[in-house]
Amino acid sequence: MRSSAPSAAASKADIRRLSNAERSAYFARREAAKVLRCVLQGDARRRAVGSVKSLVYSPSVRNKRATFALVCQTLKHLPIIKQILEDADIVNSKWKRKEDLLFIVTYDVLFGQAKQSIGDAEKFLIHHKIKLQSALEQLLSRKKANGIDELTAIYQTGDAPKPRYVRVNTLKLDIGYAMLELDKLTKVQKDGLLPDLLILPAGTDLHDHPLVLNGSVFMQGKASCMVAAALRPEPGWAVLDACSAPGNKTVHLAALMRDEGEIIACELNEQRVNRLEDTIRLSGASNIHVVHGDFLNLTPSVHPYNKVQAILLDPSCSGSGTSAERLDHLLPSYTAGHAADGTEIARLNKLAAFQKKALTHALSFPSVERVVYSTCSVHQIENEDVVQSILPLAASLGFRLEAPFPQWSHRGLPVFEGAEKLLRTDPLEDREGFFIALFVKEHVDRHGGIAPAFSTRKTNRRVSGSTKKRFVTGTKLSRSSNHADQLKSLRVI
């Protein structure tokens, strides 16, 4: 249908006739439209000029609280608003040039407080309100949603809620038996990518299930399970988990290695060390040594670290890939890591600096053949940018990027040549936003093998309830030993 062109703003006389609340709402919608335009334009370029908060709290915006609420709510409902406008078929090319205001006012007409017909957009949409409401009802019916909250949740997380993933701890239980036991409770299927991962319906509560309580299965997301699997440690190897707590990836490594070889699990925070120990005990793994200390303080040339063949580096990060409730999560610019709020950028820069330092350190271990760098962040600054900054050093040390899970469709952002070898999980499609980079050393000489990094005595290898401390060097080591000075900042359990 053809609609009248949007004319200039409402006349001053019309505005004066409004109540104070109506006048404030009228101007807030205009200010919100300007902010939304900046956000969407930045989103289209995949580089935001500012976060929603920083744009709203600029000096030019007068009604900050109302404007912020309108922008946030419109973004939250934007896929629904776009679908309703398309289904109602009321927007011509002239109105499309002012779609930012149209989105704001549509939200306020359908879900907010817009009732007066002052302002061209308000007049236009209130005139077509019946069509808009009809389109909304049809959308609710198509999506089988019982209300706007449920419909919003569907659009934010996809057409299906996140399934319950369960990793079978193969140190304790056969995968087939785990399926039989869990099938008594609900429908179970195998994951197509990871053989030890099972998929249960969303919302399945397993917290009190015997298999969970005894460590036979771990409730662990698919993306998290992909990290250890990407490293592909071989049984008998010496492996280092650089930032280990809470330990789910650590014990997954132990299972992949069939409890053979040695794993050094490094953790700086004492409370998290306690959590890590609990996870190890629950798993039944006997080849894990917990090091209470800073990974950056480990000396790569000192035994046992000079024998480490694989390193899993999952350092502190923003956690943005697991923050499904953040509004910026809806934007490609957020996925690319370009939120420009000053405080957030400063935090991300600080995290990225640590991540670069940690990855540089990981690549310096003399016997290391494979290094996985992973985050649960969607930000480019913590992911592709960190990897790109390390590539010259990695190449000089003989490392190249290798694509983990080549069949996986979501790869790194195309910001440098070779980024297609990086792996991302999509926060919407995969319900989590993880990042994995795999560095592999070329021309590895395996002749003669590599000697075990630790003693194979169970008394020295098992994490027990005892509070007795040991330095992990294959033999008992007193503080007066030659290695004590190099390990003086570490407490090994």
Side-chain angles (χ1 to χ4, degrees):
M1 78 174 275
R2 298 185 61 83
S3 306
S4 59
S7 61
S11 69
K12 292 182 179 180
D14 288 337
I15 294 174
R16 279 196 296 268
R17 285 197 292 270
L18 298 175
S19 67
N20 288 338
E22 289 171 336
R23 190 181 302 115
S24 177
Y26 170 85
F27 284 114
R29 286 191 286 271
R30 270 73 194 161
E31 290 184 317
K34 291 178 182 178
V35 172
L36 184 64
R37 185 185 309 124
C38 289
V39 171
L40 296 180
Q41 286 176 348
D43 177 57
R45 295 192 300 266
R46 295 181 70 83
R47 183 171 292 273
V49 297
S51 68
V52 172
K53 188 173 182 179
S54 65
L55 290 170
V56 168
Y57 283 88
S58 67
S60 62
V61 177
R62 298 178 63 182
N63 192 343
K64 292 178 170 41
R65 173 179 287 186
T67 300
F68 183 70
L70 272 173
V71 174
C72 289
Q73 290 302 316
T74 301
L75 280 173
K76 183 178 179 181
H77 295 84
L78 190 57
I80 299 171
I81 291 169
K82 287 182 175 180
Q83 189 64 58
I84 289 171
L85 289 172
E86 180 181 337
D87 292 347
D89 193 24
I90 61 174
V91 181
N92 63 17
S93 60
K94 294 180 179 180
W95 272 111
K96 285 180 181 178
R97 290 198 293 269
K98 299 186 71 173
E99 65 177 5
D100 39 67
L101 179 59
L102 210 62
F103 293 153
I104 294 288
V105 179
T106 299
Y107 165 76
D108 223 15
V109 166
L110 284 176
F111 312 119
Q113 300 175 348
K115 296 179 176 63
Q116 81 278 12
S117 57
I118 298 298
D120 293 327
E122 286 87 347
K123 289 178 181 178
F124 173 72
L125 291 167
I126 288 174
H127 176 72
H128 291 292
K129 188 172 182 178
I130 293 176
K131 282 190 174 182
L132 295 174
Q133 290 174 329
S134 175
L136 174 58
E137 291 298 325
Q138 292 174 28
L139 183 59
L140 286 165
S141 177
R142 286 202 308 272
K143 294 293 185 179
K144 297 180 173 59
N146 294 320
I148 189 61
D149 289 340
E150 191 171 320
L151 183 62
T152 303
I154 289 173
Y155 271 91
Q156 285 183 337
T157 61
D159 287 333
K162 181 179 178 180
R164 167 69 71 191
Y165 286 105
V166 173
R167 181 179 62 79
V168 180
N169 177 13
T170 53
L171 296 178
K172 284 190 170 183
L173 193 66
D174 176 79
I175 295 171
Y177 185 78
M179 292 187 69
L180 287 173
E181 285 298 304
L182 293 173
D183 193 56
K184 297 174 183 178
L185 175 67
T186 187
K187 180 181 178 182
V188 183
Q189 65 183 83
K190 279 188 175 183
D191 181 70
L193 185 69
L194 303 175
D196 55 358
L197 192 65
L198 304 180
I199 307 172
L200 281 64
T204 303
D205 187 0
L206 295 174
H207 289 85
D208 294 326
H209 195 282
L211 294 185
V212 173
L213 296 177
N214 68 19
S216 295
V217 301
F218 282 80
M219 292 186 291
Q220 187 174 353
K222 178 172 181 173
S224 175
C225 293
M226 290 170 69
V227 175
L231 187 63
R232 289 196 286 118
E234 296 183 11
W237 272 19
V239 177
L240 172 61
D241 189 350
C243 306
S244 189
N248 286 344
K249 297 181 184 71
T250 314
V251 298
H252 191 190
L253 289 171
L256 293 171
M257 296 166 65
R258 301 198 292 269
D259 209 22
E260 300 174 14
E262 297 82 29
I263 298 173
I264 306 169
C266 190
E267 177 55 48
L268 178 60
N269 182 280
E270 185 162 10
Q271 289 184 335
R272 288 170 62 82
V273 165
N274 295 332
R275 172 76 182 279
L276 172 61
E277 289 177 318
D278 290 341
T279 303
I280 294 170
R281 291 190 194 96
L282 185 64
S283 75
S286 63
N287 67 336
I288 301 173
H289 301 258
V290 176
V291 176
H292 179 199
D294 189 342
F295 166 65
L296 295 176
N297 288 340
L298 300 184
T299 305
S301 60
V302 171
H303 185 83
Y305 310 116
N306 60 350
K307 302 299 184 182
V308 167
Q309 295 155 276
I311 296 177
L312 192 159
L313 175 61
D314 186 46
S316 299
C317 71
S318 64
S320 51
T322 54
S323 301
E325 299 303 315
R326 299 171 68 126
L327 287 173
D328 280 354
H329 176 73
L330 300 172
L331 302 174
S333 55
Y334 175 76
T335 302
H338 293 303
D341 177 80
T343 302
E344 180 67 4
I345 282 293
R347 174 173 172 260
L348 292 175
N349 282 330
K350 186 175 181 180
L351 285 167
F354 165 73
Q355 292 155 355
K356 291 174 186 177
K357 187 180 295 185
L359 183 52
T360 297
H361 192 53
L363 295 173
S364 72
F365 284 65
S367 299
V368 71
E369 302 176 19
R370 301 174 67 84
V371 174
V372 158
Y373 170 74
S374 67
T375 74
C376 55
S377 170
V378 298
H379 292 298
Q380 178 183 323
I381 192 173
E382 297 181 90
N383 297 332
E384 289 84 0
D385 289 355
V386 168
V387 171
Q388 185 178 17
S389 71
I390 299 299
L391 285 179
L393 171 67
S396 72
L397 295 172
F399 288 94
R400 59 176 171 80
L401 285 175
E402 185 174 288
F405 305 107
Q407 69 273 43
W408 189 260
S409 60
H410 298 297
R411 310 311 300 188
L413 299 176
V415 294
F416 64 86
E417 186 176 354
E420 70 279 0
K421 294 181 179 179
L422 308 174
L423 183 148
R424 276 179 175 263
T425 62
D426 185 80
L428 294 179
E429 185 176 333
D430 304 313
R431 319 302 196 269
E432 292 176 299
F434 271 64
F435 173 86
I436 301 175
L438 172 61
F439 293 85
V440 176
K441 184 171 283 187
E442 299 181 287
H443 311 302
V444 174
D445 182 11
R446 298 179 183 274
H447 181 68
I450 297 179
F454 300 95
S455 164
T456 57
R457 291 173 297 169
K458 292 291 182 180
T459 55
N460 190 41
R461 293 168 58 209
R462 187 179 300 275
V463 175
S464 67
S466 170
T467 58
K468 187 173 182 179
K469 315 298 188 299
R470 290 189 178 94
F471 289 107
V472 181
T473 59
T475 58
K476 293 181 181 180
L477 181 65
S478 70
R479 290 183 181 270
S480 60
S481 134
N482 290 336
H483 297 304
D485 290 339
Q486 295 173 356
L487 297 175
K488 62 184 178 182
S489 63
L490 305 178
R491 177 170 64 86
V492 181
I493 301 163

